[in-house]
């Protein structure tokens, strides 16, 4: 390690008289001085402690001033030391050579005491100014980096809030609009079934009373297939009743998924959030229009309710499950029908308490094609996406990590292997 705490000036000259004169001159001005008789010993001293300034003789045996200067300027630890050459050579060629090597000035022998002190003071001040500017630049760069990170974080947060707000309003509106007509249908199904039963009873009574209908009536009754209608109508009404119940469940799931988050955290059933999200994504899990179905395997553990912001947590679950579906659909494009049949697409969802019983763990795993280590390093980066233009913003996982880690003080991690699938794990404090 290089010691930079004690400032001093290093004088390098093979002439003892010159060393003595320069040392006395600088010490009289209150400056700390160290001496070296050749280039090699000067470099050895600089390796131990960096001087504020070097007065370097040009003509020296073994290693001259030009070689010494070149060595020091090539070393990143010593390249910023200001060097003043001392020489009796007054020709322009040597001065140009020295300055081109990185020297800041020249002092011509024989020495003038006032000239030496003036030049040394100027370059010490310039060196201090350079250090101050470097420190200010480093501080400024750090502040710029911090501001950039804060702005990026704020931008992600604004996008997240905007997405949640728009999604919440949209889905809540849809759920409300569905709720009114389905409520009407559901409430009228029971009396409709009762009316059908009354009509059937009345028709049976007519059939019992009219034993010998006319030929025309008999023909029309056969064409109407009344017996089939009487048998199938209750089944039809029952199917409508089951469908209305399912629509009501979807409406409830939509409201649960996009429930507005209050100012503070509330207790929330994570399994309800998972089930609501899966129900909303059901159309993408079914095998439709040549698309292979995706099997969902749930292994729910016994979990307590968690203090959280349900709307934001549901958004994370939606993002992770939708990404898993995207990965499986992309993987299936590269697979043959036989391979898909032998190894069907699958999403596994596991929930459990961790060993400390203080955190819940949610694992969402797919058996898609996985990701390379290079991609895994960047998946949580702001605006990073592997999807085609128009299909991904690169904000989903960045927002998800911010929701889990910044807002909920949890952890969101990813583990993936090429050809073996991907697993996302959410850890949340209870």
């Amino acid at each position: 390690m290089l010691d930079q705490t004690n400032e001093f000036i290093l004088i390098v000259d093979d002439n003892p008289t010159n060393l003595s004169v320069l040392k006395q001159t600088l010490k009289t001005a209150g400056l700390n001085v160290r001496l070296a008789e050749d280039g090699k010993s000067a470099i050895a001293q600089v390796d131990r402690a960096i001087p504020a300034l070097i007065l370097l003789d040009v003509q020296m045996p073994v290693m001259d001033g030009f070689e010494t200067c070149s060595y020091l300027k090539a070393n990143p630890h010593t390249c910023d030391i200001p060097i003043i050459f001392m020489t009796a050579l007054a020709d322009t060629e040597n001065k140009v050579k020295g300055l081109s090597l990185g020297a800041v000035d020249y002092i011509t022998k024989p020495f003038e005491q006032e000239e030496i002190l003036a030049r040394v003071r100027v370059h010490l001040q310039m060196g201090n100014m350079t250090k101050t500017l470097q420190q200010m630049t480093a501080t400024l760069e750090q502040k710029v980096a911090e501001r950039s990170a804060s702005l990026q974080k704020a931008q992600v947060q604004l996008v997240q809030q905007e997405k949640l707000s728009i999604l919440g309003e949209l889905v809540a509106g849809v759920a409300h609009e569905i709720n009114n007509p389905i409520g009407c249908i559901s409430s009228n199904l029971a009396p409709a079934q009762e009316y059908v039963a009354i009509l059937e009873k009345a028709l049976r009574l007519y059939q019992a009373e009219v034993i010998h209908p006319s030929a025309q009536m008999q023909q029309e009754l056969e064409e109407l297939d009344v017996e089939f209608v009487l048998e199938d109508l209750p089944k039809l009404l029952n199917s409508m009743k089951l469908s209305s119940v399912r629509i009501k469940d979807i409406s409830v799931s939509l409201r649960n998924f996009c429930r507005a988050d209050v100012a503070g955290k509330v207790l929330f059933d994570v399994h309800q959030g998972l089930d609501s999200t899966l129900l909303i994504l059901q159309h993408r899990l079914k095998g439709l229009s040549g698309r292979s179905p995706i099997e969902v395997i749930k292994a729910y553990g016994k979990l307590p309710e968690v203090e959280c912001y349900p709307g934001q947590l549901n958004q994370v679950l939606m993002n992770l499950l939708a990404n898993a579906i995207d990965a499986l659909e992309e993987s299936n494009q590269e697979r043959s029908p036989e391979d898909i049949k032998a190894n069907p697409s699958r999403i596994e969802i596991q929930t459990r308490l961790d060993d400390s019983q203080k955190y819940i763990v949610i694992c969402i795993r797919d058996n898609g094609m996985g990701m390379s280590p290079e991609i895994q390093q960047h998946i949580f980066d702001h605006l990073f996406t592997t999807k085609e233009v128009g299909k991904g913003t690169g904000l989903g996982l960045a927002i998800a990590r911010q929701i889990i880690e910044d807002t909920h003080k949890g952890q969101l991690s990813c583990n993936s292997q090429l050809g073996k699938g991907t697993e996302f794990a959410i850890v949340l404090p209870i």
Side-chain angles (χ1 to χ4, degrees), residues 275-286 291 317-323 325:
D275 290 339
S276 296
T277 306
L278 287 170
L279 189 58
I280 293 169
L281 290 170
Q282 189 66 37
H283 67 287
R284 296 195 60 194
L285 297 170
K286 294 178 179 178
R291 184 176 61 205
L317 298 175
M318 172 67 79
N319 184 272
L320 297 183
L321 286 167
N323 279 351
I325 294 171

Side-chain angles (χ1 to χ4, degrees), residues 141-430:
E141 286 177 350
Q142 182 180 355
K143 288 184 177 180
V144 168
E146 290 172 356
R147 284 290 175 87
S148 297
S150 298
L151 286 171
Q152 189 179 84
K153 185 176 179 180
Q155 184 184 12
V156 170
Q157 197 167 13
L158 284 171
V159 172
Q160 169 205 333
Q161 291 171 349
E162 186 68 17
K163 285 179 69 176
L164 272 176
S165 176
I166 293 172
L167 183 63
E169 290 176 8
L170 175 65
V171 177
V174 170
H176 179 73
E177 291 300 319
I178 291 174
N179 207 41
N180 288 335
I182 199 61
C184 176
I185 294 170
S186 180
S187 60
N188 286 317
L189 275 173
Q193 287 177 310
E194 185 180 344
Y195 297 159
V196 167
I198 291 171
L199 290 173
E200 181 185 2
K201 185 176 180 181
L203 186 58
R204 296 298 183 192
L205 289 172
Y206 273 105
Q207 286 178 330
E209 291 292 330
V210 183
I211 300 174
H212 302 292
S214 65
Q216 182 181 355
M217 180 181 289
Q218 184 70 33
Q219 183 180 354
E220 289 187 9
L221 286 174
E222 288 177 0
E223 289 177 358
L224 291 172
D225 200 358
V226 174
E227 289 300 326
F228 173 77
V229 171
L230 290 174
E231 181 184 350
D232 195 56
L233 186 55
K235 296 178 183 177
L236 186 149
L237 289 171
N238 192 51
S239 296
M240 292 171 64
K241 184 178 180 180
L242 292 175
S243 296
S244 69
V245 170
R246 177 161 178 78
I247 294 173
K248 286 181 71 175
D249 289 342
I250 293 172
S251 178
V252 170
S253 294
L254 289 172
R255 291 201 304 272
N256 287 338
F257 178 82
C258 286
R259 58 189 289 183
D261 287 330
V262 292
K265 297 178 182 177
V266 296
L267 289 174
F268 179 63
D269 182 356
V270 171
H271 293 153
Q272 183 190 77
L274 283 164
D275 290 339
S276 296
T277 306
L278 287 170
L279 189 58
I280 293 169
L281 290 170
Q282 189 66 37
H283 67 287
R284 296 195 60 194
L285 297 170
K286 294 178 179 178
L288 300 171
S289 303
R291 184 176 61 205
S292 301
I294 298 172
E295 181 184 8
V296 176
I297 300 173
K298 296 190 288 188
Y300 290 171
K302 189 174 181 181
L303 299 182
E305 290 187 328
V306 179
E307 280 193 356
C308 66
Y309 296 98
Q312 294 186 30
L313 184 57
N314 282 338
Q315 185 188 3
V316 174
L317 298 175
M318 172 67 79
N319 184 272
L320 297 183
L321 286 167
N323 279 351
I325 294 171
D326 289 342
L328 290 169
E329 288 179 349
E330 187 177 347
S331 174
N332 285 341
Q333 292 177 2
E334 308 294 328
R335 301 168 64 198
S336 65
E338 293 76 20
D339 185 21
I340 294 173
K341 187 175 181 180
N343 301 287
S345 299
R346 184 175 65 252
I347 295 175
E348 298 177 22
I349 306 173
Q350 182 189 44
T351 64
R352 59 180 174 83
L353 284 170
D354 80 327
D355 295 336
S356 70
Q357 306 288 299
K358 295 180 180 178
Y359 295 85
I360 67 163
V361 182
I362 307 168
C363 295
I364 298 175
R365 184 184 306 111
D366 67 68
N367 63 339
M369 56 187 173
M371 293 180 284
S372 67
E374 292 76 20
I375 291 178
Q376 283 188 69
Q377 290 178 359
H378 298 286
I379 57 170
F380 294 111
D381 290 353
H382 183 66
L383 299 178
F384 177 81
T385 181
T386 58
K387 296 177 182 177
E388 297 176 12
V389 176
K391 291 190 175 181
T393 63
L395 292 172
L397 288 175
I399 291 173
R401 170 166 273 186
Q402 186 180 34
I403 290 172
I404 297 299
E405 299 190 355
D406 294 348
T407 306
H408 291 86
K409 308 305 177 187
Q411 184 179 355
L412 175 60
S413 60
C414 172
N415 181 31
S416 183
Q417 287 182 288
L418 279 174
K420 294 187 177 180
T422 300
E423 178 184 271
F424 282 93
I426 301 171
V427 179
L428 287 174
I430 295 174

